[in-house]
Amino acid sequence: MQNKTKATMTLAACATVAAGTFPFANSGFLFGLLNHGFIAATIGGLADWFAVTALFHKPLGISYRTEILKRNRKRITDAVIEFVADDLLNTKNIMKTLEDENAARLLIDFLENYNGRVKVKILVNGILAELFTEIDTGKIAREIAPIIETEIKNFDVQKMISAAVKVVTAEKNSSKILIFLLETGRKILNSKLMQDEIYKKIVEMRETYEGDSAGRALVLSSMNLTDEKILSILNENVELKISSTIAALKVKKFVRNEDNLDAQELINFFETAIKSAIESIDAAKLQAEFENILHTKIDVAAYVQNFLKFEDRFWQQDVENLVDKKIDEFINNTELQNQFDALIKIMLEKLIDANHDQIPALIRERLDKLDDDKLTEFVESRVADDLQMIRINGSVCGALAGMFLYIISQIITQVLS
């Protein structure tokens, strides 16, 4: 039940009781008390009904000092705007409310629970794609091409080869290269195709060894050296050798044992082989061929322009991996989260402070769109029902005041008589 209905029913009940007890007002103290109390309640209820109604309308058609909202629209509007902008929504109050929120936790919640990672990746890729689309690749290519061409002319193949040899044959790098080659060799040896080929060779070797000699076949049979067994033994020994060599190569400081010595010998062999292969290269001839290819067969400007088109978005996966890495770093780093939260709040405070003047402008613009009748209807629809409690309180207070005054008058009458 709405407060307006309650207030009207209260007023009606007070008036009814006041009228009903009026003939008996002088019949006794109780009837007099009720009559005076409910008369006062009726008067209080009517007065407050008039006051509440006068805020929005003309009660009983009386225009004197009624329709207060319409008559004082400008003053009320200015007061409301001032209160909202300067008191309710000032920068200090807004920031005080925001202090309870953690911007970093909100961001993490978005990233983890609202498909935020994907959305961030789409945004970053979109920005990069848009950026690359706006690039004048032709202009950039024309500016870069002469620089590249100059560097090509000054490129020293012999110096490059020497530097490459130095890098490749450094113990740390040569160990890594040899580990990679050994692991690759292991995969090749364990492949079905290579195992089949090795098995065929074992069969051929066994058949050649046995020949027409039944004794040799008997010896192999008695030792259970079948073709499969020989292949298994060979695989086990090769795997053991590769594994021990790889383990030795991963050790930075060699301990003198058989595996480590073999690994060191393998490194020395690798370095010797690389240097020997390099020494056989005719650097001058290679330099001439290199310059001939670059100068006559490559259009540097066209190559650069084609590279800058980015049509295949070769960078996309790397960018997405970088985004994932940075997001994980942010989620697991409390210090970063605190810095982000503080930065966001500083930015918001500056933004709110710089644009605070727009708050009263927005409120005024919204209110100015409403004519007097619509503004009255708008305000009344939101506060009128709560204002009806004034009427109920008026009736109650009037009843109490009326009864109190009646009691006082009876006491005085008794004293004076």
Side-chain angles (χ1 to χ4, degrees):
M1 184 182 296
Q2 292 185 342
N3 289 335
K4 184 176 182 180
T5 303
K6 293 177 183 178
T8 301
M9 291 176 64
T10 301
L11 178 60
C14 290
T16 301
V17 175
T21 57
F22 181 74
F24 309 101
N26 298 319
S27 299
F29 176 80
L30 181 58
F31 280 103
L33 181 66
L34 290 174
N35 180 249
H36 283 78
F38 280 100
I39 288 176
T42 303
I43 295 171
L46 283 171
D48 287 335
W49 166 80
F50 187 91
V52 171
T53 306
L55 290 173
F56 309 105
H57 308 287
K58 296 178 182 179
L60 303 176
I62 300 173
S63 59
Y64 180 71
R65 294 188 178 276
T66 56
E67 291 187 315
I68 294 173
L69 184 60
K70 290 183 180 180
R71 291 176 182 274
N72 298 276
R73 171 171 179 161
K74 185 179 184 307
R75 182 166 60 83
I76 293 174
T77 299
D78 291 342
V80 169
I81 292 172
E82 182 180 357
F83 169 72
V84 173
D86 297 339
D87 295 325
L88 188 61
L89 294 180
N90 59 40
T91 303
K92 183 179 179 180
N93 286 342
I94 294 174
M95 291 309 302
K96 186 176 181 180
T97 301
L98 292 176
E99 282 297 326
D100 297 332
E101 299 294 338
N102 188 311
R105 295 309 310 168
L106 292 174
L107 177 59
I108 292 173
D109 184 53
F110 165 75
L111 292 171
E112 293 185 330
N113 301 318
Y114 296 92
N115 209 24
R117 283 179 183 266
V118 175
K119 292 177 181 177
V120 171
K121 291 175 186 177
I122 292 173
L123 176 62
V124 172
N125 280 313
I127 292 173
L128 291 176
E130 186 67 23
L131 177 64
F132 294 148
T133 301
E134 297 297 325
I135 291 177
D136 186 346
T137 55
K139 180 181 179 182
I140 295 176
R142 289 190 296 273
E143 292 175 352
I144 294 178
I147 300 173
I148 296 177
E149 289 173 352
T150 300
E151 292 299 321
I152 289 174
K153 291 176 182 178
N154 298 329
F155 187 76
D156 188 337
V157 173
Q158 180 62 54
K159 186 176 180 181
M160 183 271 292
I161 292 174
S162 299
V165 170
K166 186 179 293 185
V167 171
V168 171
T169 56
E171 184 172 295
K172 179 177 69 173
N173 296 328
S174 59
S175 295
K176 290 180 180 180
I177 293 171
L178 287 170
I179 289 172
F180 171 75
L181 292 175
L182 287 169
E183 289 178 342
T184 303
R186 172 195 281 160
K187 291 178 181 178
I188 293 172
L189 286 171
N190 291 332
S191 67
K192 186 177 185 306
L193 180 62
M194 183 59 70
Q195 287 291 302
D196 290 343
E197 289 299 319
I198 294 173
Y199 182 78
K200 290 179 182 178
K201 293 298 180 182
I202 291 173
V203 172
E204 291 177 4
M205 291 172 61
R206 178 186 54 74
E207 290 177 348
T208 301
Y209 173 76
E210 290 178 351
D212 297 330
S213 173
R216 291 180 178 180
L218 180 62
V219 170
L220 292 177
S221 177
S222 63
M223 296 176 65
N224 195 30
L225 289 177
T226 61
D227 298 333
E228 291 78 7
K229 183 68 174 179
I230 294 173
L231 177 61
S232 176
I233 293 172
L234 178 62
N235 286 336
E236 289 176 4
N237 280 276
V238 171
E239 174 61 28
L240 179 62
K241 194 65 177 175
I242 290 176
S243 297
S244 60
T245 304
I246 289 176
L249 287 170
K250 290 181 178 180
V251 178
K252 293 183 179 179
K253 293 184 179 180
F254 286 102
V255 179
R256 296 187 65 81
N257 60 42
E258 183 180 351
D259 291 334
N260 290 335
L261 290 175
D262 288 344
Q264 186 62 61
E265 185 178 343
L266 185 60
I267 290 176
N268 295 336
F269 172 77
F270 176 74
E271 293 176 357
T272 302
I274 291 294
K275 291 177 180 178
S276 175
I278 295 301
E279 288 173 358
S280 66
I281 296 176
D282 187 342
K285 182 179 180 181
L286 184 62
Q287 177 82 44
E289 291 179 354
F290 176 76
E291 292 179 357
N292 180 57
I293 291 172
L294 293 179
H295 293 170
T296 62
K297 296 184 179 180
I298 295 180
D299 185 344
V300 176
Y303 179 82
V304 173
Q305 184 173 2
N306 184 62
F307 177 78
L308 291 175
K309 287 181 180 179
F310 300 105
E311 291 178 349
D312 58 351
R313 296 194 181 186
F314 60 89
W315 39 264
Q316 184 166 340
Q317 188 58 51
D318 290 332
V319 168
E320 292 184 357
N321 291 339
L322 178 62
V323 170
D324 277 326
K325 180 180 177 182
K326 291 302 178 182
I327 289 176
D328 291 335
E329 182 180 347
F330 179 78
I331 291 174
N332 297 313
N333 192 321
T334 305
E335 184 178 352
L336 273 179
Q337 294 172 22
N338 293 335
Q339 292 175 359
F340 175 80
D341 181 58
L343 177 63
I344 291 297
K345 287 174 180 174
I346 290 172
M347 291 174 59
L348 283 174
E349 185 170 8
K350 291 181 178 178
L351 183 65
I352 293 169
D353 199 47
N355 296 278
H356 190 263
D357 291 342
Q358 294 185 24
I359 294 177
L362 290 171
I363 298 172
R364 188 178 297 279
E365 181 183 356
R366 175 71 178 93
L367 293 176
D368 287 345
K369 289 181 179 180
L370 303 174
D371 58 29
D372 290 344
D373 291 334
K374 288 184 178 179
L375 178 61
T376 299
E377 182 182 347
F378 173 77
V379 176
E380 188 176 12
S381 66
R382 283 158 177 77
V383 301
D385 196 55
D386 293 326
L387 291 176
Q388 301 303 318
M389 289 303 299
I390 295 175
R391 295 172 54 192
I392 297 174
N393 292 335
S395 295
V396 173
C397 291
L400 294 175
M403 290 179 181
F404 177 74
L405 291 175
Y406 179 76
I407 292 171
I408 295 298
S409 67
Q410 291 299 310
I411 293 173
I412 294 173
T413 301
Q414 290 295 325
V415 172
L416 293 178
S417 61

